[in-house]
Amino acid sequence: MRGSALGVRVCVAASMATKVVVVGGSGFVGSAVCKAAVERGATVVSVTRSGEPAAKQVVDSDWAAHVTWRKGDALKASEWPEEYLEGAAGVVSCVGGFGSHDHMRKICGEANVRVFEEAKARGVARAVFISAHDYGPPLRDLLKGYFDGKDTAERSLFQLFPSGTGTAVRPGMVHGTRYVGSAVPIPLSMVGKPLEVLLGNPLVKSIVQGSVFPSVLQRLLVPAASASKVAKASIDALMSPIPPEFDDGSVEERVVDVWEILRS
């Protein structure tokens, strides 16, 4: 291995590295996943509708030079060239978005289902889905299409990638610096970092999840997590050995919740 100026570790022999395909890799969370995969020594391919990234946090980063950027629509994954998924050990789907309920069901649900179906058809062994913590009502009702889509995608993931080969990563709020367009920063950590520190405190967690708080508040009061921690948890789930509890079938669905994300 060797390091870049930012300490990014890359494989000297790329052909020997594990190939990871990140769908939606130029987005806020997706770019963090690409970075985490590069640092883990993987050969990384990003597939997005735009192909080449435009966001400042990607373009100005040394690790981005170690990612192969490809253009492809997740809803039309069956039309992707063979080379996109060929030889991939795993795929991480970061596809999602907001809008009307129908739009969110399509982007958060159908698009990810198409990715998982095509990955399975082409012999990819492992898959990770960036899902979401279920806050319950009233937020779930306000964003019904979003959570319905996530649920649909998770069902497909676990059906196609059983026994721990498929993992749903469920963060709450994801913070970091997000860019609108190519260069307008939104410092989400100004809100997210305090929520991570406060609600992620073990003492606060035990109080919130105790009998004093009603269940509706327990589901709402979960800590935020940085995009880098979500990314690391995702790549760990994809590239590390499958936990032994899946061997005997006692556990069927592999989920990384917000608390496990914070331990990454």
Side-chain angles (χ1 to χ4, degrees), residues 66-222:
H66 302 290
V67 176
T68 300
W69 304 96
R70 299 298 188 198
K71 189 173 183 178
D73 187 340
L75 286 163
K76 300 178 181 178
S78 62
E79 300 177 8
W80 291 353
E82 289 294 327
E83 66 185 68
Y84 284 18
L85 293 169
E86 185 177 19
V91 60
V92 183
S93 190
C94 311
V95 179
F98 295 96
S100 69
H101 292 308
D102 287 343
H103 174 77
M104 290 188 287
R105 289 189 187 94
K106 184 176 182 179
I107 299 303
C108 298
E110 183 183 344
N112 289 294
V113 170
R114 297 291 171 264
V115 170
F116 299 140
E117 289 176 340
E118 197 58 29
K120 183 68 174 182
R122 299 195 193 184
V124 179
R126 304 271 288 268
V128 170
F129 173 46
I130 307 299
S131 188
H133 169 74
D134 185 354
Y135 288 95
L139 185 58
R140 173 149 192 142
D141 298 328
L142 292 172
L143 295 173
K144 181 173 174 54
Y146 178 85
F147 288 105
D148 285 352
K150 295 285 188 179
D151 288 347
T152 297
E154 282 198 17
R155 287 195 297 271
S156 174
L157 171 76
F158 293 134
Q159 180 181 9
L160 294 168
F161 295 90
S163 304
T165 59
T167 306
V169 178
R170 297 177 181 168
M173 176 189 176
V174 181
H175 69 84
T177 301
R178 187 167 195 158
Y179 286 83
V180 175
S182 60
V184 180
I186 299 178
L188 297 176
S189 289
M190 291 183 66
V191 174
K193 187 61 178 179
L195 289 176
E196 177 181 339
V197 173
L198 175 62
L199 296 177
N201 182 290
L203 177 59
V204 175
K205 176 187 177 183
S206 65
I207 294 173
V208 169
Q209 296 188 340
S211 59
V212 176
F213 283 80
S215 60
V216 64
L217 284 180
Q218 291 179 18
R219 295 175 73 170
L220 284 171
L221 296 176
V222 296

Side-chain angles (χ1 to χ4, degrees), residues 28-29 32 171 173-177 189 192-193 196 223-233 258 261-262 264:
F28 174 50
V29 175
M173 176 189 176
V174 181
H175 69 84
T177 301
S189 289
K193 187 61 178 179
E196 177 181 339
S226 67
S228 60
K229 287 185 178 179
V230 174
K232 185 177 184 301
V258 63
I261 290 170
L262 292 182
S264 297

Side-chain angles (χ1 to χ4, degrees), residues 10 38 58-59 61-69:
V10 296
V38 169
V58 179
V59 175
S61 302
D62 286 354
W63 60 264
H66 302 290
V67 176
T68 300
W69 304 96

